[in-house]
């Protein structure tokens, strides 16, 4: 079997190898280490990718919260159009992703989940993320308040059946009516619970986190929940504490719009990179021009790359990719490169239960690589050993 060697500054889960090499054989990583010790040194990655300067080799990014990109949104995509959004993010370094839906009527969620399940079965996405509809109306953000409902187990079963195993995570508010039944369904159907779009207190969040089975996350921490206050700590404090105890993974949308760079740095300092996952929360406008779009049933206007509801002005998803957020974490938040890359790859992979398959540059794992310039801008992407066009 033919092998290929990628040489440059290699970022593993533990260190940066200034002159390193990654050997790919078939769809797997065969060897990673200093170039001087490489058993199969091929051409330097500079030679393969062009003369633009030093290259950095990263693992493929993993996005567990993404609503679309490239002009296509998953909440209203068809089987034919949804791959456009997947390809957009893949070309920009996200080799593994969940396709996220928003609150909508049952028939819409069933239809969209069924359409996205085809992409999951073909291996194009790692599954579906349901953001709602069992949320707090008071913290709906860019979710359609008309579609937010109490827990309806029959409705949820219909959606999960339509996915046939594709639904991997679900965002819900702990205070929603019927939450006890919801917890049982998520456990029975092996769906990861994520706390978000909530107006409840810290104690309620702590209780829910401890009752949920399997990996648990906080949907875009700080956004869609009351702000931290020293006399009313709320969900933010409970989620930070749960992550510090090793009970929860925290999503951060570190795109410079949803969070201040210092907020990103503070959270990472408090809980560490193994409890934080950078997510894009990207919607259809990611990678395309400003203008009018839709997020589910709601109109969105994108100006200077910032998406907001046309009526009301709430932030309506992002227009960045995970690699963009990794770059911001390094440049603006002062996070070290190894930690930033872990939060874009290894940590979300572990949340999905894929840590033995992908998310790190390590022998035996799937050969998902992002080759960037010295500014962490992707110049080449490899997924399962194949170049992404």
């Amino acid at each position: 079997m033919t092998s290929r060697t990628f040489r440059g500054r290699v970022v593993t889960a533990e260190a940066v190898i200034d002159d390193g090499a990654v050997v790919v054989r078939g769809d797997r990583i065969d060897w990673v280490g200093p170039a001087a010790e490489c058993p199969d040194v091929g051409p330097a990655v500079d030679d393969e990718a062009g003369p633009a300067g030093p290259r950095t080799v990263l693992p493929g990014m993993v996005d567990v919260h993404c609503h679309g990109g490239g002009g296509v949104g998953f909440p209203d995509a068809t089987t034919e159009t949804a791959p456009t959004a997947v390809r957009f993010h893949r070309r920009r370094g996200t080799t593994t992703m969940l396709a996220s839906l928003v609150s909508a009527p049952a028939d819409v969620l069933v239809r969209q989940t069924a359409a996205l399940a085809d992409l999951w079965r073909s291996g194009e996405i790692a599954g579906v993320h349901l953001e709602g509809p069992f949320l707090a109306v008071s913290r709906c953000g860019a979710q359609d308040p008309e579609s937010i409902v109490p827990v309806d187990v029959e409705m949820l079963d219909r959606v999960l059946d339509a996915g046939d195993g594709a639904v991997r995570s679900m965002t819900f508010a702990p205070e929603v009516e019927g939450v006890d039944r919801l917890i049982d369904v998520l456990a029975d159907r092996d769906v990861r619970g994520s706390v978000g779009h909530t107006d409840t207190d810290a104690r309620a969040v702590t209780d829910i986190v401890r009752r949920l089975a399997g990996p648990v996350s906080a949907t875009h921490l700080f956004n869609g929940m009351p702000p931290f206050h020293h006399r009313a700590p709320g969900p933010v404090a409970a989620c930070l504490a749960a992550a510090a105890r090793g009970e929860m993974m925290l999503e951060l949308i570190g795109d410079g719009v949803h969070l201040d760079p210092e907020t990103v740095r503070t959270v990472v300092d408090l809980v560490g990179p193994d409890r934080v996952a950078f997510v894009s929360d990207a919607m259809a406008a990611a990678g395309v021009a400003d203008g009018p779009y839709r997020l589910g049933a709601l109109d969105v206007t994108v100006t200077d790359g910032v998406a907001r509801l046309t009526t009301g002005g709430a932030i309506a998803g992002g227009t960045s990719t995970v690699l963009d957020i990794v770059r911001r974490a390094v440049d603006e938040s002062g996070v070290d490169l190894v930690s930033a890359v872990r939060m874009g790859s290894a940590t979300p992979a572990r949340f999905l239960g894929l840590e033995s398959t992908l998310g790190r540059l390590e022998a035996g794992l799937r050969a998902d690589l992002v080759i960037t310039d010295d500014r962490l801008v992707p110049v080449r992407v490899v997924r399962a050993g194949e170049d992404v066009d």
Side-chain angles (χ1 to χ4, degrees):
M1 185 181 297
T2 303
S3 66
R4 291 194 292 167
T5 301
F6 298 87
R7 184 174 177 180
R9 181 175 65 155
V10 174
V11 183
T12 73
E14 293 80 29
V16 175
I17 306 172
D18 288 328
D19 182 12
V22 179
V23 179
V24 171
R25 194 178 302 275
D27 65 351
R28 297 285 146 178
I29 297 172
D30 192 59
W31 188 89
V32 179
E37 302 173 12
C38 182
D40 188 14
V41 176
V45 75
D46 288 13
D47 298 334
E48 294 192 358
R55 294 294 190 246
T56 298
V57 186
L58 311 174
M61 300 294 108
V62 179
D63 195 349
V64 298
H65 188 157
C66 179
H67 297 284
V72 174
F74 294 126
D76 54 14
T78 65
T79 301
E80 290 74 29
T81 61
T84 297
V86 177
R87 286 195 295 268
F88 163 75
H89 286 278
R90 189 172 295 169
R91 288 195 299 268
R92 285 154 180 81
T94 300
T95 53
T96 302
M97 67 187 303
L98 295 185
S100 300
L101 300 178
V102 293
S103 299
D107 289 346
V108 173
L109 290 175
V110 168
R111 181 192 71 212
Q112 295 307 112
T113 301
L116 293 170
D118 288 340
L119 285 176
W120 171 69
R121 279 186 283 266
S122 67
E124 294 298 296
I125 61 174
V128 175
H129 161 227
L130 302 176
E131 190 176 12
F134 311 137
L135 308 174
V137 173
S138 58
R139 295 289 173 178
C140 62
Q143 300 269 343
D144 179 11
E146 297 298 320
S147 296
I148 293 175
V149 296
V151 172
D152 182 335
V153 171
E154 182 179 348
M155 170 190 182
L156 181 57
D157 280 337
R158 286 181 60 204
V159 175
L160 297 180
D161 287 344
D164 192 29
V167 176
R168 304 305 303 134
S169 71
M170 183 176 194
T171 301
F172 69 95
E175 68 268 34
V176 70
E177 181 182 343
V179 72
D180 292 339
R181 299 176 66 197
L182 174 61
I183 290 173
D184 291 339
V185 173
L186 296 181
D188 290 343
R189 304 293 288 265
D190 190 27
V191 177
R192 287 148 172 74
S194 187
V195 174
H197 288 281
T198 175
D199 220 358
T200 195
D201 59 25
R203 187 179 298 274
V205 172
T206 299
D207 176 62
I208 285 291
V209 169
R210 290 174 171 169
R211 292 171 59 195
L212 286 165
V216 181
S217 68
T219 293
H220 45 54
L221 186 69
F222 298 103
N223 299 110
M225 58 186 67
F228 175 86
H229 188 280
H230 60 286
R231 288 192 296 273
V236 172
C239 290
L240 287 170
R245 292 191 299 267
E247 298 171 355
M248 188 179 228
M249 183 202 74
L250 308 176
E251 292 182 3
L252 293 183
I253 314 172
D255 59 2
V257 176
H258 288 80
L259 299 173
D260 185 90
E262 285 302 314
T263 301
V264 173
R265 176 60 183 263
T266 298
V267 173
V268 176
D269 285 348
L270 286 173
V271 306
D274 292 332
R275 293 297 168 185
V276 174
F278 288 144
V279 298
S280 71
D281 195 26
M283 43 81 72
V288 289
D290 288 354
Y293 293 89
R294 287 179 71 80
L295 181 59
L298 303 181
D299 291 323
V300 175
T301 300
V302 179
T303 304
D304 296 329
V306 179
R308 294 186 178 274
L309 291 184
T310 305
T311 301
I315 298 174
T319 58
S320 297
T321 67
V322 172
L323 187 54
D324 293 333
I325 291 169
V326 168
R327 186 185 315 113
R328 279 183 174 272
V330 174
D331 292 345
E332 299 179 13
S333 301
V335 176
D336 68 275
L337 180 59
V338 170
S339 294
V341 169
R342 284 219 314 255
M343 291 183 282
S345 55
T347 301
R350 189 175 64 253
F351 175 72
L352 294 176
L354 298 175
E355 66 270 26
S356 64
T357 304
L358 51 87
R360 305 182 308 283
L361 295 181
E362 186 176 298
L365 300 192
R366 196 173 77 183
D368 291 356
L369 285 67
V370 185
I371 317 303
T372 78
D373 63 16
D374 60 350
R375 298 294 301 149
L376 298 182
V377 175
V379 297
R380 183 176 190 168
V381 179
V382 175
R383 185 175 188 266
E386 298 290 333
D387 288 320
V388 173
D389 60 23

